[in-house]
Amino acid sequence: MTTAAFAPPFVQPAELQAALREQGYAVLSPQGVSDWLGVPLAQLEALHADWNDLPPDEYLKDGGRYRTRRHACFTVEGDSIVQAPHRAHWQPVEYNALHGGMQRWFAPMHEATVAQPAWQRLLQRLGEAASGMRGAAAAQPWFVEAHQFRIDTAGGIGRPTPEGAHRDGVDLVAVVLVGRSGIKGGETRVFEASGRRGERFTMTEPWTLLLLDDARVIHESTPIQPLEEGGAGWRDTLVVTCRAGAFQGD
């Protein structure tokens, strides 16, 4: 496992759409995220308490107990954000060879969280980014799934992406580092889906944001281990996907 921490290739918020169009991904610093959303970092950090209350992921096919999570779905069109009735998360095996084809029912996100203005603003801006990436002249409906993850090292190793390098079968993928403690590893890797070029970096600052054009790039995060033998650590992330047309599985 690599322990090097290559710095993320941050862009300014004004450069985000161009970076997505030109290279298929863009990374914003925490301050860049705050500026892009028009939301103080303190309001975003206030959401982090939820990650201490995530139920276990009961569907891990590798037998691991290192992942806890919650899940929620929304439709986003311009300023309109509507939470969908709670539903299973489903992906085809073409996109997730390990867990594809399964109806996975995860615990829902807390109502108080999805009502927060900072959360609503994040979904609105991600919808705008998805529309801009696809060159939409006007707002269009996006079918959005949100996943709160904690990967821990209680068993010695945790795997943020046990399925390996992958695409998600959506339009836009947003990966937010919400926090990390007492770990090494967790390197982010982004590769061209139809080429050899790639980039690797480690997100270490809370509320660093990676945006991905899922049609053009594949991504993964390397396993994490505790900094000290016998120690415990964790890595908290928020993954939000935007898909045109319908939720996967509809």
Side-chain angles (χ1 to χ4, degrees):
M1 174 187 296
T2 181
T3 57
F6 297 104
F10 293 132
V11 300
Q12 295 298 315
E15 303 167 335
L16 184 149
Q17 292 292 167
L20 274 174
R21 288 192 298 268
E22 292 167 10
Q23 61 188 19
Y25 65 93
V27 191
L28 291 181
S29 69
Q31 188 57 54
V33 172
S34 175
D35 293 343
W36 184 60
L37 297 177
V39 171
L41 277 173
Q43 287 188 22
L44 295 171
E45 186 55 31
L47 301 173
H48 192 186
D50 273 11
W51 273 256
N52 296 320
D53 180 35
L54 302 181
D57 183 339
E58 304 288 355
Y59 295 92
L60 285 169
K61 282 191 172 181
D62 64 1
R65 302 293 297 172
Y66 52 80
R67 184 159 76 182
T68 57
R69 68 191 294 179
R70 290 183 183 273
H71 172 239
C73 295
F74 307 83
T75 55
V76 177
E77 185 172 7
D79 294 334
S80 172
I81 299 168
V82 178
Q83 186 168 4
H86 195 56
R87 54 184 288 122
H89 176 53
W90 185 89
Q91 293 175 291
V93 293
E94 291 82 3
Y95 290 107
N96 190 329
L98 186 61
H99 298 116
M102 300 172 63
Q103 293 256 341
R104 291 184 284 166
W105 287 92
F106 300 113
M109 291 180 62
H110 291 308
E111 292 182 7
T113 302
V114 302
Q116 289 294 320
W119 177 259
Q120 298 281 312
R121 179 59 173 163
L122 175 62
L123 294 191
Q124 178 193 358
R125 290 296 271 156
L126 290 176
E128 291 175 2
S131 294
M133 185 181 72
R134 291 290 176 254
Q140 67 180 86
W142 292 102
F143 295 82
V144 174
E145 295 196 49
H147 308 262
Q148 296 170 299
F149 292 103
R150 171 167 286 183
I151 308 298
D152 68 47
T153 61
I157 191 168
R159 296 177 174 85
T161 52
E163 65 271 43
H166 65 284
R167 291 165 56 206
D168 288 329
V170 298
D171 288 85
L172 180 74
V173 178
V175 181
V176 183
L177 178 77
V178 180
R180 54 183 283 156
S181 176
I183 60 168
K184 57 186 176 181
E187 180 179 82
T188 297
R189 297 179 178 178
V190 181
F191 309 93
E192 290 179 327
S194 347
R196 299 189 301 176
R197 290 190 303 167
E199 182 134 30
R200 51 189 287 210
F201 52 89
T202 304
M203 297 193 292
T204 59
E205 298 179 78
W207 297 98
T208 297
L209 168 65
L210 167 65
L211 293 179
L212 303 158
D213 182 342
D214 194 54
R216 295 177 55 194
V217 297
I218 59 178
H219 64 281
E220 67 175 335
S221 296
T222 63
I224 61 173
Q225 289 181 338
L227 280 175
E228 300 179 2
E229 187 174 351
W234 46 262
R235 180 177 185 263
D236 290 350
T237 55
L238 169 67
V239 176
V240 182
T241 62
C242 300
R243 188 173 189 265
F247 293 111
Q248 289 195 97
D250 281 355

